[in-house]
Amino acid sequence: MPSPELTERIEQALADLRADARQVSDSIHARPELRFEERFAAAILSDRLEQAGFRLERGIAGMPTAFRASIGEGRPTLAILCEYDALPEIGHGCGHNLIAAGGMLAGLALARAFRGAGTIQVVGTPAEEGGGGKIVELEAGVFDEVDAALMFHPSDHTRMIRHATASRKVKVSFHGIAAHAAASPEHGRSALAAVIQLFVAVDALRQFVPETARIHGVITDGGQAANVVPAFAAAEFQLRDVTSTGVEHLLERFRAAVEASALATGTDGELTLGSLYTERKNNRPLAERIGAYLSAQGMPPEPPLLTGGTGSSDIGNVSLAIPAVHPYVQVMPRGTATHTAEMTEYAATDEAFEATVAAARALALTGGDFLEDGVFRDEVAADFRDRGPDVPMGAR
Ligand SMILES: [Zn+2]
Ligand SMILES: [Zn+2]
């Protein structure tokens, strides 16, 4: 527990600030913005933090919608991360409006309550849904001086520790030769045929990859008219496995499939690689502390999940570089799937916001512990040093 004075001041701050945080959550929810376009969300969060006395750096790491808000001086430095991008078509079906408002609320409450040495940061991390904003920030050195990073993710259950699949998005485009499909097909080379060939090749190699691997794709451009041989066609795939090394192995074989498809169809294939989302290392002391504060609010966490299929997040990359946690907090009924219209609906309810305040309280109290208690900081650092990433048992 943080000192009784700090705990009391955090409580008071949460009570004062929660109504405004609800507004922030609802207004971000009402204006869903796709990855790297989160101008409204980044501005509303930055402005609130600046008004509360945080020093604002906007547009960090070369991303206009990224920001870092800092208050205090020197080490230790605790960062609370906010995601705020939405999904195409379904809006906030991953509940990032709650991550944003909850992260802001935790940062504001802790900043108001904490009077010791150290720095509190709230870091705005754009484009979790495919753009890897945290990876860009990591590579730009945003987390170099950070001793621990905390965040939470809305879910249909409460769980502190989960493995995450390493993942890489790849865009493939094929360039062929256009021709009239009836008058002179012999002059054409179909880029669409190459894309179809690639899907067939991927399905052929699918049987011979580790059972933990996942390869899935969609055709994003298949030509314009049936009577024109398509000179251009494109697809997007995601390659996943339980480790980054596994994904890189898949990529080698995928690359060969692209080359073979181009060769077979007389076209040129071109690969554009997205960032590699790595596996995750869950810091145990941080996770256990957050779990204890959620339990105290009647939300006991489920046991760690370290097997089976999971999604991916760019928090993985951060967690391999510094102590980090990505707990899941139940904001909606059990069985509600993420990335659905149902979750979009729940992300704006009173119940979801109530759970978000509980998460913000747990993050602020854990942050208070981290800043006040050197022994706890040592435990966090030792766990980070001694533990490997969480990958399913028996995985390579
Ligand atoms: Zn998502
Ligand atoms: Zn998400």
Side-chain angles (χ1 to χ4, degrees):
M1 280 298 274
S3 60
E5 301 77 36
L6 180 60
T7 306
E8 198 188 308
R9 287 200 294 268
I10 287 174
E11 264 333 302
Q12 187 57 52
L14 289 172
D16 293 346
L17 297 165
R18 55 176 290 156
D20 186 59
R22 174 66 191 266
Q23 263 204 327
V24 168
S25 175
D26 288 351
S27 63
I28 293 174
H29 186 273
R31 286 183 65 155
E33 300 166 302
L34 298 183
R35 58 174 178 248
F36 296 125
E37 292 170 6
E38 316 95 327
R39 283 177 288 275
F40 173 79
I44 195 172
L45 296 165
S46 306
D47 291 350
R48 290 291 199 287
L49 290 157
E50 194 164 45
Q51 282 155 19
F54 280 79
R55 301 182 297 278
L56 252 295
E57 297 162 86
R58 298 168 197 257
I60 55 169
M63 297 179 289
T65 58
F67 68 85
R68 175 167 55 193
S70 313
I71 196 163
E73 293 294 338
R75 309 290 272 265
T77 297
L78 175 86
I80 298 171
L81 311 188
C82 293
E83 298 174 357
Y84 31 75
D85 58 328
L87 295 158
E89 311 294 331
I90 59 169
H92 277 290
C94 207
H96 292 184
N97 61 302
L98 301 171
I99 303 180
M104 181 198 75
L105 180 59
L108 288 174
L110 184 57
R112 236 192 230 195
F114 181 67
R115 297 184 184 157
T119 306
I120 300 161
Q121 294 182 345
V122 178
V123 181
T125 68
E128 189 280 328
E129 301 288 357
K134 294 185 195 68
I135 303 168
V136 180
E137 291 178 337
L138 187 65
E139 286 168 359
V142 170
F143 299 107
D144 284 0
E145 307 289 314
V146 175
D147 298 299
L150 312 180
M151 65 174 292
F152 84 99
H153 200 292
S155 180
D156 71 330
H157 63 280
T158 297
R159 174 177 279 135
M160 300 300 103
I161 292 166
R162 204 199 75 185
H163 80 101
T165 308
S167 169
R168 202 194 260 284
K169 246 183 204 170
V170 277
K171 288 185 175 166
V172 191
S173 25
F174 288 98
H175 299 269
I177 301 169
H180 193 290
S184 52
E186 69 278 14
H187 294 140
R189 298 288 181 269
S190 171
L192 176 61
V195 167
I196 292 167
Q197 199 58 43
L198 176 59
F199 274 84
V200 173
V202 165
D203 281 339
L205 72 81
R206 198 186 289 289
Q207 306 170 61
F208 309 105
V209 298
E211 61 181 352
T212 47
R214 303 278 188 273
I215 314 177
H216 35 96
V218 290
I219 297 178
T220 52
D221 191 331
Q224 305 302 323
N227 61 357
V228 180
V229 174
F232 181 80
E236 198 174 285
F237 281 84
Q238 231 169 325
L239 312 178
R240 309 201 207 210
D241 204 345
V242 288
T243 63
S244 305
T245 316
V247 171
E248 295 307 276
H249 285 149
L250 283 183
L251 180 59
E252 271 172 48
R253 298 174 69 186
F254 185 80
R255 212 185 273 281
V258 171
E259 283 165 17
S261 306
L263 192 63
T265 53
T267 59
D268 290 321
E270 191 185 307
L271 263 180
T272 313
L273 302 185
S275 326
L276 176 69
Y277 283 31
T278 68
E279 57 273 43
R280 186 179 303 172
K281 176 153 94 169
N282 300 277
N283 189 274
R284 296 303 193 272
L286 290 173
E288 281 158 16
R289 196 61 65 99
I290 293 170
Y293 288 130
L294 287 168
S295 293
Q297 300 179 74
M299 301 165 78
E302 293 180 19
L305 179 71
L306 298 172
T307 55
T310 65
S312 317
S313 167
D314 55 4
I315 190 68
N317 302 59
V318 176
S319 78
L320 298 187
I322 58 169
V325 273
H326 185 275
Y328 297 86
V329 175
Q330 182 170 9
V331 304
M332 55 192 185
R334 186 87 213 197
T336 313
T338 47
H339 289 201
T340 61
E342 290 72 49
M343 183 161 186
T344 306
E345 244 174 75
Y346 281 117
T349 58
D350 292 348
E351 293 74 17
F353 187 72
E354 238 9 88
T356 297
V357 173
R361 178 178 285 111
L363 295 183
L365 290 169
T366 302
D369 282 336
F370 188 81
L371 293 170
E372 271 191 338
D373 182 353
V375 175
F376 180 50
R377 280 202 300 280
D378 288 346
E379 285 168 18
V380 168
D383 186 79
F384 178 76
R385 191 187 57 228
D386 299 338
R387 180 180 302 281
D390 289 297
V391 293
M393 305 249 268
R396 296 148 308 127

